[in-house]
Amino acid sequence: MSQSAPDLSHHLSKEARERLPNPMKDIWRRVVSSGRLDVANMANGDPHYSLFPFKQLVFEVPSVTEAQDPVAEWRAGTCPTQSFRSYKDEDCALSLRNAFQYTHGAGLPQCQKVLKDLTDFFFAPPNHTVTLTLGNSDGITKLFRLLGDSGDYFLTDEFSFPGMTNAPLSCGIKWVGIKMDAGGIIPEEMEKILKNWDETKGRRPHVLYIVPVGQNPTGSTLSLERRQKIYCMAQKWDLLILEDDPYYFLQYDLPPAEKIPEVEGTYSQRFAKHLIPTILSLDVDGRVLRVDSFSKILAPGMRLGWITSNKLFHKKLVTYTDSGTQHPHGFGQAFITEMLGEKGWHLDGLCRWLQSLRLDYKRRRDFLLEMFRREVEPTGYATVNIPQGGMFVWMEVHFERHPHYRPGLRDATSSAVAPRTNIETLLLALFEKCMENDVVVMPSSIFSIPEDSMWIGNDNQHVPIRDRTKFFRATFAGTEENIEKGMVRFGRTLKDFFEQPMTVNL
Amino acid sequence: MSQSAPDLSHHLSKEARERLPNPMKDIWRRVVSSGRLDVANMANGDPHYSLFPFKQLVFEVPSVTEAQDPVAEWRAGTCPTQSFRSYKDEDCALSLRNAFQYTHGAGLPQCQKVLKDLTDFFFAPPNHTVTLTLGNSDGITKLFRLLGDSGDYFLTDEFSFPGMTNAPLSCGIKWVGIKMDAGGIIPEEMEKILKNWDETKGRRPHVLYIVPVGQNPTGSTLSLERRQKIYCMAQKWDLLILEDDPYYFLQYDLPPAEKIPEVEGTYSQRFAKHLIPTILSLDVDGRVLRVDSFSKILAPGMRLGWITSNKLFHKKLVTYTDSGTQHPHGFGQAFITEMLGEKGWHLDGLCRWLQSLRLDYKRRRDFLLEMFRREVEPTGYATVNIPQGGMFVWMEVHFERHPHYRPGLRDATSSAVAPRTNIETLLLALFEKCMENDVVVMPSSIFSIPEDSMWIGNDNQHVPIRDRTKFFRATFAGTEENIEKGMVRFGRTLKDFFEQPMTVNL
């Protein structure tokens, strides 16, 4: 944040503004900050660490420096291993005495520090603070509560992961989808919504929630140019940006870290060199709240991530965490601190794992695309975008070529924006056909943000999202066997669906 | 729940009623329940387990069967150890392939099963279901959201832990404190509140939140008779009971498990024999939601606990968890499943640890009481209750003996119930004196639920809580050295405070 950073406190929800901290923490803080050395503290009901039944934790993991391509060798069972150890009574990066005690909602200082260092190294945000979370789902839903009041509208990608976008609906928050193309949300479409907003009908959206790399479900990645435009617009319209970026380190079309001729220095510097700048890195105002996770790069069951934000939101997040989930578990904090510490992988080692992991996913992606080209494209009924990151491809089906395709439907009675075609019906019929043929792909209707005439306005050019919901999301996170089988069956199902339409039950 | 169990769905908050599940889960469920064996599932974005960088986790813990008094030996450093191991590729109670994958909000079936078995063994609730949580703070605050709407009043102990009771305030939920004596809340006082409730001023309370064993801060434990009365009243007034019971296994005045002559059978049967029945065990209607935790019996940093409830609330909790925190971390689920499994401590071993732990805390409690009798009681200015469980003593200070004590104050302008004495002022002055003298004890004013004339009514007999806030909470969770020092200083401070009143700054 610059010296002249704006006051953003008006973005806080009523709940966040009214939340009281635990008054006991003030007393504990007074004790700690008093500097007195011989205090008999009978105030805290913390079990004594000598009662924690853990002598040590051992995490046996791949030895990333001994392997050439650690992920490939790990999968083949040939990768040597190393162990990170956390002790209760011996020296280590984060003693189990602390890891297993109650602590601050932001996490233990040692773990917060290694994550802050990682954040500074990759994203270099000006004057931000790190708050630990229990993974991105926890982090994002906490941010929704922190910023949203009932009746608010939040902006997001018009195709979005419903596990997240459904979450704040029951708190009275509504979504406004921003039109997307292969490159993600279109900044000009966002500006149109903000400019034409009728404030008599509701507060203009003040929050934008996006997944900028390998977006779920479309697989799109926002270019630097779009990021800059979006950030400028956020400044102009006083938006906060929730940058949910679990796939950031899974960017595929970059030169390998080893072979970047213009970069000297450490492995991590070479690895970081060509990663796209995050929106957080552009943030001079403190209006970006970035949400990071280990779920996609280590394992989902880690349930540990972190939010990078300005100090105001950090403080409010901690107060919320202290009277909600509480701080993350000691197991994960011990693991992360050890993993990023001097005796662990350290940042360089993590980057070796990430480099190898992104190669692995790139191979999977390329394999899926190859199978698509072999099994699906020749039918002429579907095309695919090449995702630059993440785990998903977004396959477009050309329903307008289907014998049962009907343009020109219209339902003028609904306040929601009515479809004009039967594309959604065809989509769901094709989905059922796929299920019958033992291939499961996700229909785009599950991800589409419903439109409301309130914010679409009287734009006659506007094609309703239900007429554009002609996609399936497929993942390349699975095995090659699964991917090949899936594409063979998807291609065959498409052929049946388009060429034997009598068997389609609409 | 009996066959005729009442429908309790009207207790759900608006938010809980309106919460949408993730629609993708329906599709995943269809795939799983289809029974088809050769499905190419490209729908889930789950990283493949072969990419999880964990070969094994080792938890080195005390060997509870080799030790006579495992906790004492553990603290002395003489206890032998054993290791629980979780593997990705080898056989174990909960494979890391599953532990580190995304899973159901209720937790992994293996972990849910061992906790259900434990629950059935100790509490034998009729027809309840277990939902994992991230510890009691997470569990309780989730229940507050599940059941409370803005404007609701919840009942609780009149002295309560503000870390919990502050949590729902910002959602518009207000607390009504129930008068307590040394045995906890007084059932007749609860009935008085419910009977006299003026529904024109707000919905009659429909939730009771209590800590029935070693209550924080008063240390009180509800007798079986009170439990039965409270449960009957809950049936009569259609209350739900949130039974937050982290200290259940820390009950001190029971015969040791080894020496119960009338009990044959396993160690765990002997251990369980004299534990007081939980309120959950009395629950024929499904109106008790019990919240259990490992924080006080293993370590707070576990951040893993469970809620036992009827199926309706279980289902709603899972939907909330799926679109919030998500399921608990794999580390803890692996540990618990292994610990309670065939190769782990098993239930018998856990009971050996608990028996030894409660002996340790009993020794600490008795040591504090001994120090109190030696250092504080002789001053004549304070007395103490003997807590039957938990970690806290509640020390009553006889402020009416203080030269500056003033009865007869009254502030008729406030809608809150005004104090008549200056006890609260004296309490805080004494607290400051203690801080100056390097002993920290928690003043009861921090725990007291503010009273409102709305629900106290015109009862002239009622002594405002601010005139009864004459207690300090002290913990015996610390070391003997700390306890002794604390009691010496507390006694000396009391003497100074009462006998050199000129130095008291009021």
Side-chain angles (χ1 to χ4, degrees):
Chain A
M1 264 183 308
S2 65
Q3 281 291 328
S4 58
D7 176 3
L8 297 171
S9 58
H10 57 281
H11 286 282
L12 292 169
S13 66
K14 184 168 176 291
E15 184 181 311
R17 276 180 277 119
E18 293 183 356
R19 190 178 303 287
L20 296 175
N22 180 347
M24 298 171 71
K25 302 235 167 179
D26 284 336
I27 293 181
W28 298 332
R29 213 168 290 127
R30 261 185 75 182
V31 174
V32 172
S33 65
S34 70
R36 288 167 182 262
L37 295 175
D38 179 35
V39 175
N41 187 355
M42 308 189 75
N44 300 23
D46 297 352
H48 194 262
Y49 66 75
S50 60
L51 301 174
F52 302 165
F54 297 103
K55 186 182 168 80
Q56 67 168 324
L57 298 185
V58 184
F59 308 94
E60 190 181 349
V61 301
S63 174
V64 291
T65 43
E66 289 180 73
Q68 277 301 310
D69 186 354
V71 170
E73 293 170 43
W74 185 243
R75 293 188 56 224
T78 59
C79 187
T81 65
Q82 70 181 109
S83 291
F84 308 150
R85 287 163 195 273
S86 299
Y87 303 101
K88 182 158 71 70
D89 302 318
E90 291 171 53
D91 194 41
C92 61
L94 174 59
S95 168
L96 296 181
R97 296 178 182 197
N98 299 324
F100 279 107
Q101 192 50 277
Y102 287 114
T103 179
H104 195 271
L108 285 153
Q110 295 88 337
C111 190
Q112 225 187 336
K113 168 90 170 53
V114 295
L115 292 176
K116 188 188 181 313
D117 290 349
L118 187 156
T119 299
D120 288 346
F121 175 78
F122 283 113
F123 318 133
N127 208 7
H128 277 65
T129 305
V130 158
T131 317
L132 269 68
T133 68
L134 300 159
N136 278 16
S137 177
D138 175 62
I140 295 156
T141 52
K142 277 178 177 158
L143 292 178
F144 290 161
R145 296 239 192 226
L146 204 68
L147 305 171
D149 280 312
S150 180
D152 278 358
Y153 291 84
F154 282 5
L155 296 166
T156 192
D157 306 292
E158 64 176 354
F159 293 104
S160 240
F161 177 62
M164 271 306 95
T165 51
N166 273 358
L169 294 179
S170 60
C171 312
I173 291 165
K174 291 171 211 160
W175 291 103
V176 178
I178 304 167
K179 248 194 192 170
M180 306 173 81
D181 61 17
I185 55 170
I186 305 164
E188 293 69 25
E189 294 286 336
M190 179 164 114
E191 176 123 55
K192 218 192 287 177
I193 292 169
L194 290 164
K195 202 185 271 170
N196 296 334
W197 195 265
D198 179 354
E199 287 206 71
T200 63
K201 290 179 181 161
R203 176 183 183 190
R204 179 181 286 120
H206 69 113
V207 171
L208 167 67
Y209 165 66
I210 42 172
V211 179
V213 171
Q215 197 258 354
N216 180 359
T218 67
S220 59
T221 296
L222 288 168
S223 66
L224 179 56
E225 194 198 335
R226 286 204 180 176
R227 288 165 192 245
Q228 285 162 335
K229 278 191 184 165
I230 290 166
Y231 187 75
C232 285
M233 238 175 262
Q235 291 187 300
K236 179 172 166 193
W237 295 97
D238 190 19
L239 290 177
L240 300 183
I241 302 176
L242 312 191
E243 182 180 36
D244 174 14
D245 212 356
Y247 309 110
Y248 182 71
F249 296 110
L250 302 179
Q251 297 175 43
Y252 305 131
D253 299 313
L254 310 176
E258 300 84 356
K259 299 169 190 162
I260 303 177
E262 75 270 36
V263 186
E264 298 278 328
T266 63
Y267 190 91
S268 39
Q269 283 165 333
R270 295 198 298 278
F271 174 79
K273 175 70 187 168
H274 287 289
L275 291 169
I276 192 165
T278 61
I279 308 179
L280 181 72
S281 348
L282 310 174
D283 185 23
V284 289
D285 289 352
R287 58 175 73 251
V288 177
L289 297 102
R290 182 179 162 84
V291 194
D292 275 287
S293 159
F294 288 108
S295 291
K296 304 298 195 282
I297 54 177
L298 296 178
M302 291 284 301
R303 297 291 89 214
L304 200 147
W306 70 104
I307 289 173
T308 313
S309 74
N310 80 24
K311 287 207 171 42
L312 168 72
F313 299 126
H314 161 74
K315 214 178 129 190
K316 291 288 177 178
L317 266 173
V318 170
T319 306
Y320 184 16
T321 301
D322 278 342
S323 66
T325 58
Q326 299 245 29
H327 53 88
H329 44 100
F331 298 102
Q333 295 198 64
F335 173 77
I336 293 297
T337 314
E338 222 52 65
M339 184 265 283
L340 289 170
E342 292 299 335
K343 290 183 194 159
W345 282 355
H346 210 246
L347 198 57
D348 260 16
L350 176 64
C351 289
R352 282 178 199 276
W353 176 258
L354 292 174
Q355 168 63 29
S356 179
L357 186 68
R358 85 180 175 199
L359 271 182
D360 186 272
Y361 275 109
K362 182 178 160 43
R363 279 190 291 262
R364 289 167 195 257
R365 177 200 66 172
D366 293 343
F367 182 78
L368 187 149
L369 293 172
E370 190 191 324
M371 289 303 111
F372 186 92
R373 278 184 214 111
R374 195 184 81 190
E375 301 290 337
V376 182
E377 210 169 69
T379 67
Y381 302 122
T383 45
V384 70
N385 276 333
I386 300 175
Q388 292 162 41
M391 297 187 171
F392 303 109
V393 294
W394 195 228
M395 306 182 292
E396 180 174 350
V397 178
H398 305 304
F399 289 110
E400 62 283 358
R401 297 186 197 160
H402 194 275
H404 291 176
Y405 172 74
R406 285 184 306 185
L409 293 178
R410 200 175 244 297
D411 175 7
T413 59
S414 163
S415 79
V417 180
R420 299 164 194 200
T421 70
N422 66 340
I423 277 184
E424 199 176 357
T425 313
L426 288 167
L427 177 84
L428 294 174
L430 176 53
F431 167 72
E432 292 299 333
K433 265 275 168 223
C434 288
M435 292 283 275
E436 280 170 33
N437 290 341
D438 284 335
V439 52
V440 195
V441 284
M442 281 286 175
S444 52
S445 55
I446 278 205
F447 304 99
S448 62
I449 300 288
E451 288 170 336
D452 192 288
S453 53
M454 202 274 267
W455 46 272
I456 294 300
N458 293 322
D459 181 357
N460 281 324
Q461 301 302 306
H462 180 76
V463 179
I465 192 164
R466 290 166 68 189
D467 289 332
R468 291 182 284 116
T469 186
K470 52 191 170 183
F471 304 89
F472 285 97
R473 188 193 81 172
T475 182
F476 45 91
T479 59
E480 294 200 347
E481 188 200 348
N482 191 59
I483 293 171
E484 177 163 14
K485 230 186 251 176
M487 286 296 112
V488 168
R489 293 174 187 176
F490 187 60
R492 210 176 51 218
T493 308
L494 273 178
K495 263 182 91 71
D496 286 0
F497 183 77
F498 278 80
E499 296 172 11
Q500 301 179 27
M502 298 312 286
T503 67
V504 178
N505 194 6
L506 291 183
Chain B
M1 265 185 305
S2 63
Q3 280 293 329
S4 57
D7 176 4
L8 297 170
S9 58
H10 57 280
H11 286 282
L12 292 168
S13 66
K14 184 169 176 288
E15 184 182 311
R17 274 179 281 121
E18 292 182 358
R19 189 178 303 288
L20 296 175
N22 180 345
M24 300 171 69
K25 301 233 167 182
D26 284 336
I27 293 181
W28 298 331
R29 213 168 291 127
R30 262 184 73 181
V31 174
V32 172
S33 64
S34 70
R36 288 167 181 264
L37 295 173
D38 180 36
V39 175
N41 188 355
M42 308 189 75
N44 300 23
D46 297 353
H48 194 262
Y49 65 74
S50 61
L51 301 173
F52 302 164
F54 297 102
K55 185 182 170 78
Q56 68 168 324
L57 299 184
V58 184
F59 309 95
E60 189 183 349
V61 300
S63 173
V64 290
T65 43
E66 289 181 72
Q68 277 302 309
D69 185 354
V71 171
E73 292 170 42
W74 185 244
R75 294 188 55 224
T78 58
C79 187
T81 66
Q82 70 182 109
S83 291
F84 307 151
R85 288 162 194 273
S86 299
Y87 303 100
K88 182 158 71 69
D89 302 318
E90 290 170 53
D91 193 42
C92 61
L94 175 58
S95 168
L96 296 181
R97 297 177 182 198
N98 299 323
F100 279 107
Q101 191 51 276
Y102 287 114
T103 179
H104 196 270
L108 285 152
Q110 296 88 336
C111 190
Q112 226 188 336
K113 168 87 169 58
V114 295
L115 292 176
K116 188 187 179 314
D117 290 348
L118 188 156
T119 299
D120 288 346
F121 177 76
F122 283 114
F123 318 134
N127 209 7
H128 278 67
T129 305
V130 158
T131 317
L132 269 67
T133 69
L134 300 159
N136 278 16
S137 177
D138 175 61
I140 295 156
T141 53
K142 276 179 179 159
L143 291 179
F144 289 162
R145 296 238 194 229
L146 204 68
L147 305 171
D149 280 312
S150 180
D152 278 357
Y153 292 84
F154 282 4
L155 296 166
T156 192
D157 306 290
E158 65 177 353
F159 293 104
S160 240
F161 177 62
M164 270 307 96
T165 52
N166 274 358
L169 294 179
S170 61
C171 311
I173 291 166
K174 292 172 210 159
W175 290 103
V176 178
I178 304 167
K179 248 195 191 169
M180 307 173 81
D181 60 17
I185 55 169
I186 305 164
E188 292 71 24
E189 295 286 336
M190 180 165 114
E191 177 122 55
K192 219 191 289 175
I193 293 169
L194 291 164
K195 202 185 273 171
N196 297 335
W197 194 265
D198 179 355
E199 288 204 72
T200 63
K201 290 177 179 160
R203 176 183 183 190
R204 179 181 288 120
H206 69 114
V207 171
L208 167 67
Y209 165 66
I210 42 172
V211 179
V213 171
Q215 197 258 354
N216 180 0
T218 66
S220 59
T221 296
L222 287 169
S223 66
L224 178 56
E225 193 198 335
R226 286 202 179 177
R227 288 164 191 244
Q228 285 162 335
K229 278 190 185 168
I230 291 167
Y231 186 75
C232 285
M233 240 175 259
Q235 291 188 300
K236 178 172 166 191
W237 295 98
D238 190 20
L239 291 175
L240 300 183
I241 302 176
L242 311 190
E243 181 180 37
D244 175 14
D245 212 358
Y247 309 110
Y248 182 72
F249 296 109
L250 302 178
Q251 297 175 42
Y252 305 129
D253 300 314
L254 310 176
E258 300 85 356
K259 299 169 190 161
I260 303 177
E262 75 271 34
V263 187
E264 298 278 329
T266 64
Y267 190 90
S268 38
Q269 283 165 331
R270 295 198 299 277
F271 174 79
K273 174 70 186 167
H274 287 290
L275 291 168
I276 191 165
T278 62
I279 307 179
L280 180 72
S281 349
L282 310 174
D283 185 24
V284 288
D285 289 352
R287 58 176 73 250
V288 176
L289 297 102
R290 183 180 161 86
V291 193
D292 276 286
S293 159
F294 289 109
S295 292
K296 304 298 195 286
I297 55 176
L298 296 177
M302 292 283 302
R303 296 292 89 217
L304 200 147
W306 71 104
I307 289 173
T308 312
S309 74
N310 79 25
K311 288 208 170 40
L312 168 72
F313 299 127
H314 161 74
K315 214 178 129 192
K316 291 289 177 176
L317 266 171
V318 170
T319 306
Y320 184 15
T321 301
D322 278 342
S323 67
T325 58
Q326 300 245 29
H327 53 88
H329 44 99
F331 298 103
Q333 295 199 64
F335 172 76
I336 292 297
T337 315
E338 223 51 66
M339 185 263 284
L340 288 170
E342 292 299 335
K343 291 183 193 159
W345 282 354
H346 211 246
L347 197 57
D348 260 15
L350 176 64
C351 288
R352 283 178 198 276
W353 176 257
L354 293 173
Q355 168 63 27
S356 179
L357 186 68
R358 88 180 171 196
L359 272 181
D360 186 273
Y361 275 109
K362 182 178 159 44
R363 278 190 291 263
R364 289 167 196 256
R365 178 199 67 171
D366 293 344
F367 183 78
L368 187 149
L369 292 173
E370 188 190 324
M371 289 301 112
F372 185 91
R373 277 184 213 111
R374 193 183 81 189
E375 300 291 337
V376 182
E377 210 168 70
T379 66
Y381 302 123
T383 45
V384 71
N385 277 333
I386 301 174
Q388 291 162 41
M391 297 187 169
F392 302 109
V393 295
W394 194 230
M395 305 182 293
E396 180 175 351
V397 178
H398 304 304
F399 288 111
E400 61 283 357
R401 297 185 196 161
H402 194 274
H404 291 175
Y405 171 73
R406 283 182 309 184
L409 293 178
R410 201 175 243 298
D411 175 7
T413 59
S414 163
S415 80
V417 180
R420 299 162 192 200
T421 70
N422 65 340
I423 277 183
E424 199 177 356
T425 313
L426 289 166
L427 178 84
L428 294 174
L430 176 54
F431 167 72
E432 292 299 332
K433 265 276 167 219
C434 287
M435 292 283 274
E436 280 170 33
N437 290 341
D438 284 335
V439 53
V440 196
V441 284
M442 281 286 175
S444 52
S445 54
I446 278 203
F447 304 99
S448 62
I449 300 290
E451 287 169 336
D452 193 287
S453 54
M454 201 272 267
W455 46 272
I456 293 301
N458 293 322
D459 181 357
N460 279 324
Q461 302 302 307
H462 180 76
V463 180
I465 193 165
R466 290 165 69 190
D467 290 333
R468 290 181 285 116
T469 185
K470 52 191 172 183
F471 304 89
F472 285 97
R473 188 194 80 172
T475 183
F476 46 91
T479 60
E480 293 200 347
E481 188 199 349
N482 191 60
I483 292 170
E484 177 163 15
K485 230 187 248 176
M487 286 297 112
V488 167
R489 291 172 188 175
F490 187 61
R492 210 174 52 219
T493 308
L494 273 178
K495 263 182 91 73
D496 285 2
F497 183 77
F498 277 81
E499 295 171 12
Q500 299 177 29
M502 300 311 287
T503 66
V504 180
N505 193 5
L506 292 184

